Amino acid sequence: MEKRGISISGMILRLAAFVGLTFAAANARAADVEPWKARQNAIIVDAYELNSIDWEAMLKDKRIAGFIAKASDGLPESYTCTGDHGGDTVAHCKTMWRKYAVSRELYQTRRMIARSQGLLWGAYHLARPGNPVDQANHFLDYAEPREDELMVLDIEGIDPKDYMSLEDAAIFAGHIKARTGRYPILYTNHITAKQIAANRAQHRLLSRLPLWYARYKPDIRDVFPMGNWDRYALWQFSSSHNCGKKRCPYRVPGTLNDIDVNVAAMTVSELKKVWPHGALLPEKPPIVTVIASAKAGRAPAASAAVSVPLAKPLLISRAEAESGSGAGVDGTVTGAISVKAAEAHLPNQPERR
């Protein structure tokens, strides 16, 4: 009876674990398939200076938990319009300075309204080619972020002629951390996120920033996990790209079809607990290809190659490892390797029981 009781208890525990895993998988799928339709999930609006907003109407939507505003854009405009100003005429330079001054006033006004109504606040910097440290300083001077406000680095693409390079983006993020004690999160599209994730060894900092993911599809079940990103922090699912007069994933009252709308796959109270972010995500161990070979007497050598994620320290001695150039190396990698012997090629092997 005792053994039977242990067996039943074990079955109950296994069943509970299975149910828990199934529930977790269902939640993960729900977060990747139109999560904005789940009324418990928080909605976040983000806007640039030309978006028209009727605040009284917008605030009637109680699902809206936060507002992220465009702050700085590249390097600051020239105030005096003397010297080299990117080939622009003096008249255009003065126009851009006036636009910059007005947009900064609008930013501060929107922040005052949003915070007074209990909305979470955030600001993003549109990254352009140019000195990343100067751009980081420009963003901080413009946005004046408080400790409870989100900071965002916006990378629109991977062409360094049009956008800040990924290498400079890491410098930008590092400088924000040096000045504020917090990292920004990363806003980008699928192509750029995939590039960073696939090359996370070269982009170790960017690949660990929480991801604000921009993709205008109802279903992203095939996307995550991606590199160090197990999930998105925010998903920008609606904009002028997929929102029109006849059809729109989510209509925000008091705004036009060009407003950007985002979802967090969590409740408002849960979002408030993580909102400022500021920390890096855990770095996943690399995928290492291990080649093992074996010889038994006069039998032909058997070999196998397998790619595995390494999770525990493994010491490779000088005698056991060779670099690509053929020179012996000492190395410590992180991992646990399970190699299945290719015994079918080895004669006279005792039968396993």
Side-chain angles (χ1 to χ4, degrees):
M1 292 297 292
E2 182 179 354
K3 289 184 178 179
R4 181 177 176 84
I6 293 174
S7 176
I8 293 174
S9 299
M11 289 178 63
I12 293 173
L13 290 173
R14 286 194 294 273
L15 179 60
F18 175 76
V19 171
L21 290 173
T22 303
F23 183 72
N27 281 344
R29 288 193 298 271
D32 294 342
V33 181
E34 297 185 321
W36 51 90
K37 291 187 175 180
R39 296 197 61 82
Q40 73 274 14
N41 287 340
I43 296 295
I44 301 94
V45 174
D46 74 273
Y48 73 113
E49 60 271 14
L50 296 182
N51 285 126
S52 175
I53 300 173
D54 179 341
W55 282 87
E56 185 177 1
M58 190 189 75
L59 289 169
K60 291 179 180 178
D61 186 344
K62 299 305 179 183
R63 287 186 61 190
I64 296 176
F67 193 100
I68 305 174
K70 179 184 175 183
S72 48
D73 186 335
L75 292 167
E77 298 294 338
S78 170
Y79 174 71
T80 60
C81 291
T82 58
D84 181 17
H85 33 80
D88 287 341
T89 64
V90 173
H92 185 262
C93 176
K94 290 182 178 179
T95 298
M96 294 304 295
W97 172 256
R98 286 193 294 270
K99 177 185 175 183
Y100 163 76
V102 171
S103 67
R104 190 170 184 179
E105 291 295 326
L106 177 62
Y107 170 88
Q108 295 291 353
T109 301
R110 285 178 169 176
R111 176 160 72 169
M112 179 181 65
I113 296 173
R115 290 184 63 98
S116 70
Q117 297 299 316
L119 295 183
L120 300 168
W121 181 262
Y124 69 88
H125 173 80
L126 185 53
R128 307 284 191 180
N131 189 304
V133 173
D134 288 346
Q135 290 193 56
N137 288 331
H138 176 39
F139 169 68
L140 295 177
D141 293 343
Y142 188 113
E144 299 178 342
R146 304 177 188 180
E147 291 184 358
D148 62 346
E149 295 177 350
L150 186 71
M151 299 180 292
V152 184
L153 170 60
D154 179 353
I155 301 292
E156 296 284 335
I158 57 177
D159 187 347
K161 294 180 181 178
D162 297 325
Y163 309 107
M164 180 182 285
S165 70
L166 299 181
E167 291 74 19
D168 280 353
I171 296 173
F172 178 101
H175 192 69
I176 295 295
K177 173 64 163 61
R179 282 196 55 183
T180 67
R182 295 186 293 133
Y183 287 104
I185 70 169
L186 175 66
Y187 169 93
T188 197
N189 54 37
H190 177 72
I191 293 176
T192 307
K194 187 176 179 180
Q195 173 76 9
I196 294 171
N199 299 278
R200 67 181 190 270
Q202 287 74 45
H203 305 298
R204 295 186 66 185
L205 178 57
L206 290 185
S207 66
R208 294 181 63 192
L209 298 178
L211 179 63
W212 179 3
Y213 182 64
R215 202 175 195 192
Y216 311 113
K217 293 187 174 184
D219 183 344
I220 57 169
R221 281 177 293 188
D222 59 339
V223 172
F224 296 96
M226 177 171 53
N228 292 322
W229 294 308
D230 286 331
R231 62 189 64 85
Y232 54 83
L234 299 174
W235 175 6
Q236 186 180 93
F237 65 89
S238 181
S239 74
S240 58
H241 290 87
N242 63 341
C243 180
K245 292 183 178 179
K246 294 184 178 180
R247 184 177 300 175
C248 188
Y250 193 99
R251 294 196 185 277
V252 177
T255 68
L256 302 178
N257 298 332
D258 61 346
I259 198 74
D260 293 339
V261 192
N262 311 268
V263 64
M266 61 185 72
T267 64
V268 173
S269 60
E270 290 171 336
L271 181 63
K272 288 181 178 179
K273 294 178 182 178
V274 300
W275 177 253
H277 290 282
L280 294 177
L281 299 173
E283 186 172 28
K284 291 185 179 179
I287 303 296
V288 177
T289 299
V290 180
I291 300 176
S293 62
K295 293 182 179 180
R298 292 175 293 177
S303 62
V306 60
S307 295
V308 293
L310 301 179
K312 295 181 180 179
L314 172 70
L315 180 65
I316 300 178
S317 70
R318 181 178 296 274
E320 295 170 328
E322 290 187 351
S323 69
S325 62
V329 297
D330 286 318
T332 301
V333 296
T334 306
I337 303 174
S338 176
V339 179
K340 183 177 181 181
E343 294 177 343
H345 300 286
L346 300 178
N348 302 321
Q349 291 298 311
E351 182 180 357
R352 291 186 180 271
R353 297 186 183 278

